[in-house]
Short mmCIF file of all heavy atoms in Angstrom, two decimals:
data_model
loop_
_atom_site.label_atom_id
_atom_site.label_comp_id
_atom_site.label_asym_id
_atom_site.label_seq_id
_atom_site.Cartn_x
_atom_site.Cartn_y
_atom_site.Cartn_z
N LEU A 273 90.28 96.85 90.17
CA LEU A 273 91.37 95.92 89.74
C LEU A 273 91.99 96.48 88.46
O LEU A 273 93.31 96.25 88.37
CB LEU A 273 90.73 94.54 89.53
CG LEU A 273 90.31 93.76 90.84
CD1 LEU A 273 89.62 92.48 90.52
CD2 LEU A 273 91.55 93.58 91.66
N SER A 274 91.26 96.96 87.50
CA SER A 274 91.86 97.44 86.29
C SER A 274 92.65 98.68 86.56
O SER A 274 93.78 98.81 86.00
CB SER A 274 90.83 97.69 85.23
OG SER A 274 90.09 98.92 85.43
N GLU A 275 92.28 99.51 87.48
CA GLU A 275 93.07 100.62 87.87
C GLU A 275 94.32 100.30 88.66
O GLU A 275 95.39 100.99 88.46
CB GLU A 275 92.23 101.63 88.68
CG GLU A 275 91.11 102.36 87.93
CD GLU A 275 90.28 103.22 88.71
OE1 GLU A 275 90.26 103.23 89.92
OE2 GLU A 275 89.58 104.08 88.08
N LEU A 276 94.23 99.26 89.46
CA LEU A 276 95.44 98.77 90.08
C LEU A 276 96.49 98.37 89.12
O LEU A 276 97.69 98.78 89.27
CB LEU A 276 95.06 97.55 91.03
CG LEU A 276 96.24 96.90 91.76
CD1 LEU A 276 96.86 97.89 92.79
CD2 LEU A 276 95.84 95.62 92.43
N ILE A 277 96.07 97.66 88.14
CA ILE A 277 97.06 97.19 87.04
C ILE A 277 97.57 98.36 86.16
O ILE A 277 98.72 98.54 86.01
CB ILE A 277 96.41 96.13 86.16
CG1 ILE A 277 96.08 94.90 86.98
CG2 ILE A 277 97.27 95.85 84.94
CD1 ILE A 277 95.22 93.86 86.33
N TRP A 278 96.67 99.26 85.75
CA TRP A 278 97.06 100.28 84.69
C TRP A 278 97.34 101.64 85.21
O TRP A 278 97.88 102.52 84.49
CB TRP A 278 95.87 100.32 83.69
CG TRP A 278 95.66 99.07 82.98
CD1 TRP A 278 94.62 98.20 83.10
CD2 TRP A 278 96.59 98.37 82.11
NE1 TRP A 278 94.84 97.09 82.39
CE2 TRP A 278 95.98 97.12 81.72
CE3 TRP A 278 97.88 98.69 81.60
CZ2 TRP A 278 96.59 96.21 80.88
CZ3 TRP A 278 98.48 97.70 80.76
CH2 TRP A 278 97.86 96.54 80.39
N VAL A 279 97.05 101.84 86.54
CA VAL A 279 97.40 103.15 87.16
C VAL A 279 98.21 102.91 88.39
O VAL A 279 99.30 103.56 88.57
CB VAL A 279 96.16 103.96 87.58
CG1 VAL A 279 96.47 105.25 88.19
CG2 VAL A 279 95.23 104.18 86.31
N GLY A 280 97.82 102.00 89.24
CA GLY A 280 98.51 101.74 90.49
C GLY A 280 99.96 101.27 90.33
O GLY A 280 100.90 101.86 90.97
N ILE A 281 100.18 100.26 89.50
CA ILE A 281 101.45 99.73 89.32
C ILE A 281 102.45 100.76 88.59
O ILE A 281 103.55 100.98 89.14
CB ILE A 281 101.42 98.34 88.62
CG1 ILE A 281 100.77 97.30 89.50
CG2 ILE A 281 102.85 97.88 88.09
CD1 ILE A 281 100.52 95.99 88.86
N PRO A 282 102.02 101.30 87.48
CA PRO A 282 102.89 102.34 86.81
C PRO A 282 103.13 103.52 87.68
O PRO A 282 104.19 104.04 87.76
CB PRO A 282 102.18 102.75 85.51
CG PRO A 282 101.17 101.66 85.28
CD PRO A 282 100.83 101.03 86.65
N GLY A 283 102.07 103.98 88.47
CA GLY A 283 102.27 105.03 89.43
C GLY A 283 103.28 104.78 90.47
O GLY A 283 104.07 105.64 90.87
N SER A 284 103.16 103.56 91.03
CA SER A 284 104.10 103.19 92.08
C SER A 284 105.53 103.05 91.50
O SER A 284 106.48 103.48 92.29
CB SER A 284 103.69 101.83 92.71
OG SER A 284 102.39 101.91 93.28
N MET A 285 105.67 102.61 90.35
CA MET A 285 107.04 102.53 89.65
C MET A 285 107.54 103.95 89.56
O MET A 285 108.76 104.20 89.77
CB MET A 285 106.96 101.80 88.37
CG MET A 285 106.76 100.26 88.58
SD MET A 285 106.38 99.34 87.04
CE MET A 285 107.58 99.89 85.88
N TYR A 286 106.72 104.92 89.08
CA TYR A 286 107.07 106.31 88.92
C TYR A 286 107.59 106.85 90.28
O TYR A 286 108.58 107.55 90.31
CB TYR A 286 105.94 107.11 88.35
CG TYR A 286 106.37 108.55 88.09
CD1 TYR A 286 107.00 108.92 86.96
CD2 TYR A 286 105.99 109.53 89.06
CE1 TYR A 286 107.33 110.23 86.82
CE2 TYR A 286 106.36 110.78 88.90
CZ TYR A 286 106.97 111.18 87.82
OH TYR A 286 107.31 112.50 87.55
N ILE A 287 106.81 106.58 91.33
CA ILE A 287 107.21 107.09 92.66
C ILE A 287 108.57 106.53 93.06
O ILE A 287 109.42 107.27 93.56
CB ILE A 287 106.10 106.68 93.71
CG1 ILE A 287 104.89 107.45 93.48
CG2 ILE A 287 106.66 106.89 95.15
CD1 ILE A 287 103.68 106.97 94.30
N LEU A 288 108.75 105.23 92.83
CA LEU A 288 110.04 104.60 93.15
C LEU A 288 111.24 105.26 92.39
O LEU A 288 112.28 105.65 92.95
CB LEU A 288 110.03 103.10 92.91
CG LEU A 288 111.27 102.32 93.16
CD1 LEU A 288 111.63 102.36 94.71
CD2 LEU A 288 111.10 100.83 92.76
N VAL A 289 111.06 105.44 91.07
CA VAL A 289 112.13 105.97 90.26
C VAL A 289 112.37 107.44 90.63
O VAL A 289 113.48 107.89 90.74
CB VAL A 289 111.79 105.81 88.70
CG1 VAL A 289 112.67 106.64 87.86
CG2 VAL A 289 111.81 104.36 88.33
N SER A 290 111.32 108.19 90.88
CA SER A 290 111.45 109.59 91.36
C SER A 290 112.19 109.71 92.56
O SER A 290 113.07 110.54 92.74
CB SER A 290 110.03 110.22 91.49
OG SER A 290 109.35 110.41 90.25
N SER A 291 111.89 108.76 93.52
CA SER A 291 112.60 108.79 94.81
C SER A 291 114.03 108.50 94.71
O SER A 291 114.90 109.06 95.34
CB SER A 291 111.97 107.78 95.81
OG SER A 291 110.57 108.17 96.08
N LEU A 292 114.33 107.55 93.81
CA LEU A 292 115.75 107.18 93.61
C LEU A 292 116.52 108.35 93.00
O LEU A 292 117.67 108.67 93.37
CB LEU A 292 115.86 105.91 92.77
CG LEU A 292 115.38 104.61 93.34
CD1 LEU A 292 115.32 103.50 92.27
CD2 LEU A 292 116.15 104.27 94.52
N PHE A 293 115.90 108.98 91.96
CA PHE A 293 116.64 110.17 91.33
C PHE A 293 116.78 111.32 92.32
O PHE A 293 117.81 111.98 92.39
CB PHE A 293 115.80 110.66 90.16
CG PHE A 293 116.16 109.95 88.90
CD1 PHE A 293 115.22 109.07 88.30
CD2 PHE A 293 117.39 110.11 88.31
CE1 PHE A 293 115.55 108.42 87.08
CE2 PHE A 293 117.68 109.42 87.10
CZ PHE A 293 116.78 108.56 86.54
N ARG A 294 115.75 111.58 93.17
CA ARG A 294 115.80 112.72 94.15
C ARG A 294 116.85 112.39 95.18
O ARG A 294 117.72 113.27 95.46
CB ARG A 294 114.41 112.86 94.79
CG ARG A 294 114.31 114.18 95.49
CD ARG A 294 112.95 114.53 96.02
NE ARG A 294 112.26 113.45 96.72
CZ ARG A 294 111.29 112.69 96.27
NH1 ARG A 294 110.82 112.89 95.08
NH2 ARG A 294 110.73 111.76 97.00
N LYS A 295 117.02 111.10 95.59
CA LYS A 295 118.05 110.77 96.56
C LYS A 295 119.41 110.85 95.99
O LYS A 295 120.39 111.35 96.62
CB LYS A 295 117.77 109.36 97.16
CG LYS A 295 116.71 109.31 98.10
CD LYS A 295 116.47 107.88 98.62
CE LYS A 295 115.24 107.89 99.58
NZ LYS A 295 114.91 106.53 100.06
N LYS A 296 119.60 110.47 94.67
CA LYS A 296 120.82 110.59 94.02
C LYS A 296 121.20 112.08 93.90
O LYS A 296 122.38 112.45 94.11
CB LYS A 296 120.79 109.94 92.65
CG LYS A 296 122.00 110.01 91.88
CD LYS A 296 121.90 109.33 90.58
CE LYS A 296 123.24 109.45 89.76
NZ LYS A 296 123.07 109.01 88.47
N ASN A 297 120.26 112.99 93.54
CA ASN A 297 120.60 114.38 93.41
C ASN A 297 120.91 115.06 94.70
O ASN A 297 121.64 115.97 94.75
CB ASN A 297 119.45 115.06 92.66
CG ASN A 297 119.34 114.72 91.18
OD1 ASN A 297 120.30 114.34 90.57
ND2 ASN A 297 118.11 114.87 90.73
N GLU A 298 120.28 114.54 95.78
CA GLU A 298 120.43 115.17 97.13
C GLU A 298 121.93 114.82 97.61
O GLU A 298 122.58 115.62 98.29
CB GLU A 298 119.51 114.60 98.14
CG GLU A 298 118.08 115.20 97.97
CD GLU A 298 117.03 114.67 98.76
OE1 GLU A 298 117.33 113.69 99.61
OE2 GLU A 298 115.84 115.06 98.72
N LYS A 299 122.47 113.63 97.19
CA LYS A 299 123.81 113.32 97.54
C LYS A 299 124.87 114.01 96.79
O LYS A 299 125.97 114.25 97.29
CB LYS A 299 124.04 111.79 97.27
CG LYS A 299 123.25 110.91 98.32
CD LYS A 299 123.55 109.43 98.03
CE LYS A 299 122.75 108.60 98.99
NZ LYS A 299 122.96 107.13 98.68
N ASN A 300 124.49 114.50 95.61
CA ASN A 300 125.51 115.25 94.77
C ASN A 300 125.52 116.73 95.11
O ASN A 300 125.29 117.53 95.59
CB ASN A 300 125.14 115.16 93.29
CG ASN A 300 125.36 113.71 92.82
OD1 ASN A 300 126.14 112.90 93.41
ND2 ASN A 300 124.74 113.29 91.74
#
């Protein structure tokens, strides 16, 4: 549970942001 909060959530946010940046760069 502590890892879900302090690793899982930030890691998932990192994955989301990385995916958005990668998709944006692929379009350009």
Side-chain angles (χ1 to χ4, degrees):
L273 289 174
S274 75
E275 289 178 347
L276 176 66
I277 294 167
W278 301 109
V279 180
I281 293 171
S284 296
M285 290 171 43
Y286 181 83
I287 290 169
L288 178 64
V289 170
S290 294
S291 297
L292 293 173
F293 274 112
R294 196 172 47 256
K295 285 180 183 178
K296 181 180 177 187
N297 287 336
E298 289 172 358
K299 288 181 181 179
N300 292 336

